[in-house]
Amino acid sequence: MASGGVRRAAVAMAALGSLVTVSACGGPSGHGADTGASAPPGGAGRSSATADPATIPGVGDWLQRRIPADSRQVVAVYGDGRNSADSTAVLYTKQGSTWHRARSWAAHNGRKGWTTDHHENDKRSPVGVFTLSDAGGVLPDPDPAPGTGLPYSRSASFAAPRWWAKSYWHDFDYVIAIDYNRVKGTPPNDPTRPGGSAKGGSIWLHMDHGSGTSACVSLPKPAMEYLLRTLDPDLHPVVVMGDRANLKA
């Protein structure tokens, strides 16, 4: 993996005074500031290279054009349906002009599905292409080579409230901020909303609790550990996410 920028020093295990205790999707009733998968379309689960090697499978021209030209890592999240909370996440890496499938995992998205016009507390994940710039969580950074991955902020302030159901307590042990209505270069739980609070925010990749989220995309712990070890700011990683119909548009 190419070397990245200098990683922020790990934050001491105490709540950050300028940040809310938890600012993300999650919780058994969708509390928070805002917030059995099938194979992705286009045969992405069956071949190491895509059918059209210059494009991401199942992603139409409108979103394909929004993938930055210098991006060489794409996490594609294929939602089962507009109103479904089930999805599949696939990591693609670019070698030369060819995209290759690296890994895939079952995942979950907003409990009410997807939307092209996300608003706070609509319980739907936003469709689109978003950069991945910052990470953090309750646990230490799993990357064995500090300084080569996404900047990582460790803090107890990520911990899910203990009045949530126990199955949700570890949701934010690892998180990767999806750059929707947030300030890049800040910890994922920075509450700043450049587009206003009505547009929601704190939409993350985070650990899965077995069901839908308020707007985030949740993945198994091994998937989060793999992404935190693999995503490289020098490769300009992005997430392309949505239900299959909107992804193909």
Side-chain angles (χ1 to χ4, degrees):
M1 183 168 64
S3 62
V6 177
R7 185 184 299 269
R8 283 191 299 266
V11 179
M13 289 298 290
L16 299 177
S18 61
L19 303 178
V20 294
T21 301
V22 60
S23 176
C25 66
S29 300
H31 298 290
D34 181 12
T35 56
S38 54
R46 297 190 296 272
S47 173
S48 62
T50 68
D52 178 355
T55 64
I56 302 297
V59 178
D61 290 344
W62 187 79
L63 289 176
Q64 197 79 49
R65 289 193 299 267
R66 285 158 176 76
I67 299 173
D70 58 0
S71 178
R72 307 192 74 79
Q73 292 179 319
V74 167
V75 179
V77 182
Y78 300 94
D80 280 6
R82 182 179 180 274
N83 300 315
S84 173
D86 296 326
S87 54
T88 301
V90 182
L91 174 64
Y92 295 99
T93 61
K94 196 172 190 179
Q95 301 169 24
S97 61
T98 301
W99 286 104
H100 294 268
R101 174 186 173 275
R103 296 286 182 95
S104 66
W105 307 273
H108 289 98
N109 49 265
R111 60 177 52 87
K112 291 187 177 180
W114 298 90
T115 179
T116 56
D117 185 23
H118 176 67
H119 287 81
E120 186 174 6
N121 294 325
D122 64 8
K123 307 299 185 293
R124 293 180 180 271
S125 297
V127 176
V129 177
F130 308 100
T131 53
L132 301 171
S133 305
D134 302 279
V138 176
L139 298 179
D141 187 353
D143 192 335
T148 62
L150 298 177
Y152 190 94
S153 299
R154 184 188 182 193
S155 174
S157 66
F158 284 96
R162 287 307 186 254
W163 46 265
W164 286 6
K166 191 172 182 178
S167 59
Y168 294 78
W169 286 4
H170 295 286
D171 279 14
F172 312 132
D173 282 358
Y174 295 127
V175 307
I176 298 171
I178 293 171
D179 292 335
Y180 170 90
N181 198 21
R182 70 176 300 269
V183 178
K184 297 181 186 180
T186 63
N189 55 354
D190 184 330
T192 306
R193 304 284 177 264
S197 59
K199 295 298 291 182
S202 292
I203 298 176
W204 302 342
L205 302 176
H206 68 67
M207 298 213 335
D208 190 59
H209 53 251
S211 61
T213 69
S214 288
C216 297
V217 172
S218 60
L219 298 160
K221 183 177 182 179
M224 290 299 299
E225 291 175 331
Y226 183 84
L227 290 175
L228 286 167
R229 291 193 301 263
T230 304
L231 295 180
D232 184 344
D234 282 356
L235 301 181
H236 308 283
V238 301
V239 61
V240 181
M241 51 194 273
D243 59 281
R244 295 184 181 187
N246 272 309
L247 286 177
K248 290 178 181 178

